[in-house]
mmCIF file with all atom_site columns, all heavy atoms in Angstrom:
data_model
loop_
_atom_site.group_PDB
_atom_site.id
_atom_site.type_symbol
_atom_site.label_atom_id
_atom_site.label_alt_id
_atom_site.label_comp_id
_atom_site.label_asym_id
_atom_site.label_entity_id
_atom_site.label_seq_id
_atom_site.pdbx_PDB_ins_code
_atom_site.Cartn_x
_atom_site.Cartn_y
_atom_site.Cartn_z
_atom_site.occupancy
_atom_site.B_iso_or_equiv
_atom_site.pdbx_formal_charge
_atom_site.auth_seq_id
_atom_site.auth_comp_id
_atom_site.auth_asym_id
_atom_site.auth_atom_id
_atom_site.pdbx_PDB_model_num
ATOM 1  N N   . ALA I 1 109 ? 3.601  -17.019 -28.558 1.00 96.00 ? 109 ALA I N   1
ATOM 2  C CA  . ALA I 1 109 ? 3.094  -17.872 -29.635 1.00 96.00 ? 109 ALA I CA  1
ATOM 3  C C   . ALA I 1 109 ? 1.651  -17.511 -29.984 1.00 96.00 ? 109 ALA I C   1
ATOM 4  O O   . ALA I 1 109 ? 1.270  -17.460 -31.168 1.00 96.00 ? 109 ALA I O   1
ATOM 5  C CB  . ALA I 1 109 ? 3.189  -19.338 -29.228 1.00 96.00 ? 109 ALA I CB  1
ATOM 6  N N   . LEU I 1 110 ? 0.834  -17.248 -28.980 1.00 96.00 ? 110 LEU I N   1
ATOM 7  C CA  . LEU I 1 110 ? -0.551 -16.864 -29.219 1.00 96.00 ? 110 LEU I CA  1
ATOM 8  C C   . LEU I 1 110 ? -0.639 -15.551 -29.980 1.00 96.00 ? 110 LEU I C   1
ATOM 9  O O   . LEU I 1 110 ? -1.488 -15.385 -30.870 1.00 96.00 ? 110 LEU I O   1
ATOM 10 C CB  . LEU I 1 110 ? -1.299 -16.744 -27.886 1.00 96.00 ? 110 LEU I CB  1
ATOM 11 C CG  . LEU I 1 110 ? -1.565 -18.057 -27.147 1.00 96.00 ? 110 LEU I CG  1
ATOM 12 C CD1 . LEU I 1 110 ? -2.101 -17.773 -25.750 1.00 96.00 ? 110 LEU I CD1 1
ATOM 13 C CD2 . LEU I 1 110 ? -2.555 -18.910 -27.922 1.00 96.00 ? 110 LEU I CD2 1
ATOM 14 N N   . LEU I 1 111 ? 0.241  -14.606 -29.645 1.00 95.00 ? 111 LEU I N   1
ATOM 15 C CA  . LEU I 1 111 ? 0.239  -13.329 -30.361 1.00 95.00 ? 111 LEU I CA  1
ATOM 16 C C   . LEU I 1 111 ? 0.554  -13.548 -31.838 1.00 95.00 ? 111 LEU I C   1
ATOM 17 O O   . LEU I 1 111 ? -0.026 -12.884 -32.714 1.00 95.00 ? 111 LEU I O   1
ATOM 18 C CB  . LEU I 1 111 ? 1.258  -12.371 -29.736 1.00 95.00 ? 111 LEU I CB  1
ATOM 19 C CG  . LEU I 1 111 ? 0.989  -11.937 -28.289 1.00 95.00 ? 111 LEU I CG  1
ATOM 20 C CD1 . LEU I 1 111 ? 2.054  -10.949 -27.825 1.00 95.00 ? 111 LEU I CD1 1
ATOM 21 C CD2 . LEU I 1 111 ? -0.391 -11.330 -28.140 1.00 95.00 ? 111 LEU I CD2 1
ATOM 22 N N   . GLY I 1 112 ? 1.475  -14.452 -32.124 1.00 94.00 ? 112 GLY I N   1
ATOM 23 C CA  . GLY I 1 112 ? 1.787  -14.752 -33.514 1.00 94.00 ? 112 GLY I CA  1
ATOM 24 C C   . GLY I 1 112 ? 0.608  -15.358 -34.247 1.00 94.00 ? 112 GLY I C   1
ATOM 25 O O   . GLY I 1 112 ? 0.347  -15.039 -35.412 1.00 94.00 ? 112 GLY I O   1
ATOM 26 N N   . ARG I 1 113 ? -0.128 -16.259 -33.593 1.00 94.00 ? 113 ARG I N   1
ATOM 27 C CA  . ARG I 1 113 ? -1.296 -16.874 -34.229 1.00 94.00 ? 113 ARG I CA  1
ATOM 28 C C   . ARG I 1 113 ? -2.429 -15.868 -34.413 1.00 94.00 ? 113 ARG I C   1
ATOM 29 O O   . ARG I 1 113 ? -3.144 -15.902 -35.417 1.00 94.00 ? 113 ARG I O   1
ATOM 30 C CB  . ARG I 1 113 ? -1.758 -18.074 -33.414 1.00 94.00 ? 113 ARG I CB  1
ATOM 31 C CG  . ARG I 1 113 ? -0.853 -19.288 -33.629 1.00 94.00 ? 113 ARG I CG  1
ATOM 32 C CD  . ARG I 1 113 ? -0.989 -20.312 -32.535 1.00 94.00 ? 113 ARG I CD  1
ATOM 33 N NE  . ARG I 1 113 ? -2.331 -20.824 -32.398 1.00 94.00 ? 113 ARG I NE  1
ATOM 34 C CZ  . ARG I 1 113 ? -2.792 -21.451 -31.309 1.00 94.00 ? 113 ARG I CZ  1
ATOM 35 N NH1 . ARG I 1 113 ? -1.973 -21.614 -30.253 1.00 94.00 ? 113 ARG I NH1 1
ATOM 36 N NH2 . ARG I 1 113 ? -4.017 -21.903 -31.261 1.00 94.00 ? 113 ARG I NH2 1
ATOM 37 N N   . LEU I 1 114 ? -2.601 -14.957 -33.455 1.00 95.00 ? 114 LEU I N   1
ATOM 38 C CA  . LEU I 1 114 ? -3.616 -13.910 -33.617 1.00 95.00 ? 114 LEU I CA  1
ATOM 39 C C   . LEU I 1 114 ? -3.297 -13.025 -34.821 1.00 95.00 ? 114 LEU I C   1
ATOM 40 O O   . LEU I 1 114 ? -4.196 -12.605 -35.549 1.00 95.00 ? 114 LEU I O   1
ATOM 41 C CB  . LEU I 1 114 ? -3.706 -13.051 -32.351 1.00 95.00 ? 114 LEU I CB  1
ATOM 42 C CG  . LEU I 1 114 ? -4.383 -13.686 -31.139 1.00 95.00 ? 114 LEU I CG  1
ATOM 43 C CD1 . LEU I 1 114 ? -4.296 -12.737 -29.942 1.00 95.00 ? 114 LEU I CD1 1
ATOM 44 C CD2 . LEU I 1 114 ? -5.838 -14.027 -31.431 1.00 95.00 ? 114 LEU I CD2 1
ATOM 45 N N   . ALA I 1 115 ? -2.003 -12.745 -35.026 1.00 93.00 ? 115 ALA I N   1
ATOM 46 C CA  . ALA I 1 115 ? -1.611 -11.924 -36.172 1.00 93.00 ? 115 ALA I CA  1
ATOM 47 C C   . ALA I 1 115 ? -2.004 -12.590 -37.487 1.00 93.00 ? 115 ALA I C   1
ATOM 48 O O   . ALA I 1 115 ? -2.303 -11.917 -38.479 1.00 93.00 ? 115 ALA I O   1
ATOM 49 C CB  . ALA I 1 115 ? -0.100 -11.669 -36.144 1.00 93.00 ? 115 ALA I CB  1
ATOM 50 N N   . GLY I 1 116 ? -2.036 -13.933 -37.492 1.00 92.00 ? 116 GLY I N   1
ATOM 51 C CA  . GLY I 1 116 ? -2.440 -14.650 -38.691 1.00 92.00 ? 116 GLY I CA  1
ATOM 52 C C   . GLY I 1 116 ? -3.927 -14.648 -38.924 1.00 92.00 ? 116 GLY I C   1
ATOM 53 O O   . GLY I 1 116 ? -4.386 -15.021 -40.012 1.00 92.00 ? 116 GLY I O   1
ATOM 54 N N   . LEU I 1 117 ? -4.709 -14.220 -37.923 1.00 94.00 ? 117 LEU I N   1
ATOM 55 C CA  . LEU I 1 117 ? -6.166 -14.196 -38.054 1.00 94.00 ? 117 LEU I CA  1
ATOM 56 C C   . LEU I 1 117 ? -6.725 -12.800 -38.313 1.00 94.00 ? 117 LEU I C   1
ATOM 57 O O   . LEU I 1 117 ? -7.783 -12.652 -38.931 1.00 94.00 ? 117 LEU I O   1
ATOM 58 C CB  . LEU I 1 117 ? -6.814 -14.750 -36.772 1.00 94.00 ? 117 LEU I CB  1
ATOM 59 C CG  . LEU I 1 117 ? -6.525 -16.214 -36.439 1.00 94.00 ? 117 LEU I CG  1
ATOM 60 C CD1 . LEU I 1 117 ? -7.047 -16.560 -35.056 1.00 94.00 ? 117 LEU I CD1 1
ATOM 61 C CD2 . LEU I 1 117 ? -7.144 -17.131 -37.486 1.00 94.00 ? 117 LEU I CD2 1
ATOM 62 N N   . SER I 1 118 ? -6.037 -11.760 -37.836 1.00 95.00 ? 118 SER I N   1
ATOM 63 C CA  . SER I 1 118 ? -6.544 -10.392 -37.976 1.00 95.00 ? 118 SER I CA  1
ATOM 64 C C   . SER I 1 118 ? -6.251 -9.833  -39.360 1.00 95.00 ? 118 SER I C   1
ATOM 65 O O   . SER I 1 118 ? -5.231 -10.139 -39.975 1.00 95.00 ? 118 SER I O   1
ATOM 66 C CB  . SER I 1 118 ? -5.916 -9.493  -36.911 1.00 95.00 ? 118 SER I CB  1
ATOM 67 O OG  . SER I 1 118 ? -6.344 -8.158  -37.086 1.00 95.00 ? 118 SER I OG  1
ATOM 68 N N   . SER I 1 119 ? -7.144 -8.985  -39.824 1.00 95.00 ? 119 SER I N   1
ATOM 69 C CA  . SER I 1 119 ? -6.940 -8.295  -41.108 1.00 95.00 ? 119 SER I CA  1
ATOM 70 C C   . SER I 1 119 ? -6.161 -7.000  -40.917 1.00 95.00 ? 119 SER I C   1
ATOM 71 O O   . SER I 1 119 ? -5.962 -6.250  -41.877 1.00 95.00 ? 119 SER I O   1
ATOM 72 C CB  . SER I 1 119 ? -8.294 -7.993  -41.757 1.00 95.00 ? 119 SER I CB  1
ATOM 73 O OG  . SER I 1 119 ? -9.119 -7.226  -40.892 1.00 95.00 ? 119 SER I OG  1
ATOM 74 N N   . HIS I 1 120 ? -5.719 -6.719  -39.698 1.00 95.00 ? 120 HIS I N   1
ATOM 75 C CA  . HIS I 1 120 ? -4.967 -5.497  -39.400 1.00 95.00 ? 120 HIS I CA  1
ATOM 76 C C   . HIS I 1 120 ? -3.640 -5.863  -38.723 1.00 95.00 ? 120 HIS I C   1
ATOM 77 O O   . HIS I 1 120 ? -3.550 -6.893  -38.058 1.00 95.00 ? 120 HIS I O   1
ATOM 78 C CB  . HIS I 1 120 ? -5.757 -4.583  -38.444 1.00 95.00 ? 120 HIS I CB  1
ATOM 79 C CG  . HIS I 1 120 ? -7.145 -4.285  -38.891 1.00 95.00 ? 120 HIS I CG  1
ATOM 80 N ND1 . HIS I 1 120 ? -7.436 -3.363  -39.862 1.00 95.00 ? 120 HIS I ND1 1
ATOM 81 C CD2 . HIS I 1 120 ? -8.340 -4.813  -38.501 1.00 95.00 ? 120 HIS I CD2 1
ATOM 82 C CE1 . HIS I 1 120 ? -8.742 -3.313  -40.048 1.00 95.00 ? 120 HIS I CE1 1
ATOM 83 N NE2 . HIS I 1 120 ? -9.313 -4.185  -39.230 1.00 95.00 ? 120 HIS I NE2 1
#
Side-chain angles (χ1 to χ4, degrees):
L110 290 171
L111 296 182
R113 284 161 59 199
L114 286 176
L117 296 171
S118 177
S119 57
H120 308 282

